[in-house]
Amino acid sequence: PPTPNNLKRIVAASLIGTTIEWYDFFLYGSAAALVFNKLFFPESDPLVGTLLSFLTYAVGFAARPLGALVFGHYGDRLGRKKLLVLSLLMMGGATFAIGLLPTHATIGTAAPVLLTVLRLVQGFALGGEWGGAVLLVSEHGDARRRGFWASWPQTGAPAGQLLATGVLSLLTAVLSDSAFGSWGWRIPFLLSGVLVIVGLWIRLSVDESPVFKQALAQAEARRTEARKTEAEQLPLIAVLRHHWRDVLVAMGARMAENISYYVVTAFILVYATTEAGVSKQTALNAVLIASAVHFAVIPAWGALSDRIGRRPVYLLGAAGVGLWMFPFFRLIDTGGFGSLILAVTVGLVLHGAMYAPQAAFFSEMFATRMRYSGASIGAQFASVAAGAPAPLIATALLSDTGSSTPIALYVIAACVLTLIAVGVAKETRHRDLAEVASPSDEEPAAPRAADAHTV
């Protein structure tokens, strides 16, 4: 087991990497809501341009399952660390390239096409990042406090949101609208290059997880005895054969968490500025403050999941978000800055109750030699149906009805689905990651299958 100092360094390596990757991903979402509609789709109606801008945003989610499959496959064979370095380089490179991209006014329709390609690269990289980052900590950490330690990579999402929103908020404050739309929007994307260098320096300093090393050694030993072993199966086949129930649980658990997050942080920039008459600066500042609170509460929720279990905390978050949706929009409709902060902050605090235990919860479902694949597939396949279309659906509902009620009902429906999925799942808090066999424990496994599940 790592020493406390080594564990903190491992947590820092995962956190800095996820922060940078989420910074890149959220930066695109904020820019899509604020300026991409004018820069890359200038011939469309403003709200239609926003829809098209969010469509390129959703494309990144479509690439995440492919990233989960590829990174999961090689991450379960080669190790978590190597793939995490690659994902960071891909994400940072794509984001930096967006900062150099010509707009529609310069190269015409080729501009949105190139933007979409770079967004696909971002999504592919992020699809492989999440699973590896949380597993690196989960497999190193103290089993009694796994929920707490594994929640720290999860804080990379609000930290990235905080960083992206903070940079955009600063630029919109010091630059005129014309200057920001002309060249100022490029600065946050180009800053990604500096952040990636810092992230690589920290991430390269950590070692592979001992649980994975042990599993890899056992798989190598079996490989000398049999031509084809469980570890050599395609990850999707192995996961769906032995952990298909857990994949479905993970996908259901992600629905409310993913949809609510993008409605509260990305769509809010559209709704607050168009319906409530709030300025871009005010909306960004509200998300900025709420993201700071979100960052602070995630480890607390993770620690609570170590005490009372992953499921109770997760269920509390899903129920809370569903109940908060109607007050959320009513507060925004007032147009007051304080009301806006309260609406977003409470929404993100409740979201944190789902997001914090998610890393440990998903890690504890799968056997080591298919854990990267299983956790990534369950999480990222759900994002295609959840986070990807969420801003699009919310914007389309607003355009068609002019009301927030259908949007609130949309989020509530996702919360009900998550409540059902997590409600039927088994508690995983006491599981030993080195000895996860069949988490469902519903059917006796054959001797060979049991041996394969052990690692």
Side-chain angles (χ1 to χ4, degrees):
T3 64
N5 287 337
N6 286 340
L7 182 57
K8 290 177 182 177
R9 187 172 73 250
I10 291 162
V11 170
S14 292
L15 174 57
I16 191 68
T18 53
T19 298
I20 293 169
E21 297 232 14
W22 282 115
Y23 165 81
D24 293 345
F25 206 75
F26 289 141
L27 182 61
Y28 190 103
S30 297
L34 297 175
V35 294
F36 280 178
N37 58 332
K38 301 173 184 176
L39 295 173
F40 293 95
F41 307 98
E43 298 175 357
S44 303
D45 173 83
L47 199 55
V48 174
T50 300
L51 276 169
L52 293 173
S53 184
F54 273 141
L55 184 60
T56 64
Y57 178 68
V59 163
F61 287 84
R64 284 164 70 170
L66 180 60
L69 288 171
V70 174
F71 279 81
H73 176 78
Y74 289 103
D76 282 333
R77 288 177 176 238
L78 304 177
R80 288 59 165 122
K81 176 181 172 180
K82 295 182 180 68
L83 274 297
L84 286 175
V85 170
L86 179 61
S87 70
L88 187 60
L89 285 172
M90 291 182 66
M91 176 66 87
T95 304
F96 188 83
I98 290 174
L100 300 174
L101 197 63
T103 63
H104 187 279
T106 304
I107 60 173
T109 56
V113 172
L114 291 174
L115 182 69
T116 302
V117 170
L118 292 173
R119 182 60 176 172
L120 283 169
V121 175
Q122 280 191 325
F124 181 82
L126 191 62
E129 162 69 22
W130 181 84
V134 300
L135 292 187
L136 194 64
V137 176
S138 295
E139 293 179 345
H140 271 99
D142 176 7
R144 292 180 298 105
R145 305 186 68 197
R146 185 180 298 128
F148 171 73
W149 289 116
S151 70
W152 278 100
Q154 300 290 77
T155 64
Q161 179 77 67
L162 189 65
L163 191 58
T165 307
V167 172
L168 285 172
S169 181
L170 177 63
L171 289 172
T172 55
V174 300
L175 297 177
S176 64
D177 286 346
S178 60
F180 181 77
S182 176
W183 55 269
W185 67 272
R186 298 182 184 274
I187 296 175
F189 289 92
L190 297 177
L191 282 176
S192 179
V194 178
L195 297 175
V196 167
I197 294 173
V198 176
L200 283 175
W201 176 67
I202 297 176
R203 187 161 275 186
L204 287 170
S205 68
V206 302
D207 197 8
E208 189 57 77
S209 78
V211 171
F212 175 79
K213 287 181 179 179
Q214 178 186 3
L216 184 61
Q218 292 172 346
E220 290 294 337
R222 287 200 309 274
R223 196 170 286 119
T224 63
E225 299 174 3
R227 180 174 298 177
K228 185 175 181 63
T229 68
E230 189 73 24
E232 291 175 321
Q233 286 186 356
L234 289 175
L236 180 60
I237 296 174
V239 168
L240 294 183
R241 176 183 174 187
H242 301 290
H243 291 281
W244 62 271
R245 292 180 183 85
D246 301 309
V247 169
L248 291 178
V249 167
M251 292 178 66
R254 284 275 283 170
M255 297 305 289
E257 177 268 308
N258 218 219
I259 289 173
S260 65
Y261 188 80
Y262 290 104
V263 168
V264 171
T265 61
F267 174 71
I268 184 65
L269 298 178
V270 175
Y271 185 83
T273 54
T274 59
E275 298 299 311
V278 176
S279 68
K280 293 179 183 178
Q281 182 69 41
T282 301
L284 284 169
N285 286 342
V287 175
L288 187 69
I289 294 169
S291 295
V293 177
H294 193 210
F295 178 89
V297 300
I298 285 178
W301 284 123
L304 183 62
S305 77
D306 286 327
R307 296 178 64 88
I308 67 174
R310 319 297 183 214
R311 291 174 65 252
V313 177
Y314 213 115
L315 291 169
L316 173 64
V321 167
L323 293 172
W324 183 243
M325 275 300 101
F326 280 110
F328 171 78
F329 284 107
R330 296 298 175 267
L331 285 168
I332 296 172
D333 288 338
T334 65
F337 184 51
S339 298
L340 191 60
I341 292 175
L342 179 62
V344 181
T345 300
V346 173
L348 288 182
V349 168
L350 293 170
H351 169 271
M354 293 183 283
Y355 199 54
Q358 188 180 98
F361 189 33
F362 289 7
S363 298
E364 291 158 350
M365 289 181 183
F366 302 96
T368 303
R369 287 291 285 163
M370 58 186 79
R371 184 170 293 135
Y372 200 145
S373 299
S376 297
I377 289 169
Q380 303 307 333
F381 272 65
S383 69
V384 177
L392 272 171
I393 292 174
T395 303
L397 289 172
L398 179 64
S399 178
D400 289 343
T401 66
S403 170
S404 62
T405 299
I407 304 168
L409 293 174
Y410 164 55
V411 178
I412 290 170
C415 291
V416 171
L417 182 58
T418 292
L419 287 170
I420 294 172
V422 179
V424 301
K426 291 187 176 181
E427 182 56 59
T428 62
R429 175 167 57 116
H430 297 297
R431 285 179 180 163
D432 184 342
L433 291 185
E435 298 178 359
V436 175
S438 177
S440 59
D441 287 331
E442 293 179 356
E443 299 175 355
R448 177 170 173 171
D451 177 67
H453 272 268
T454 302
V455 297

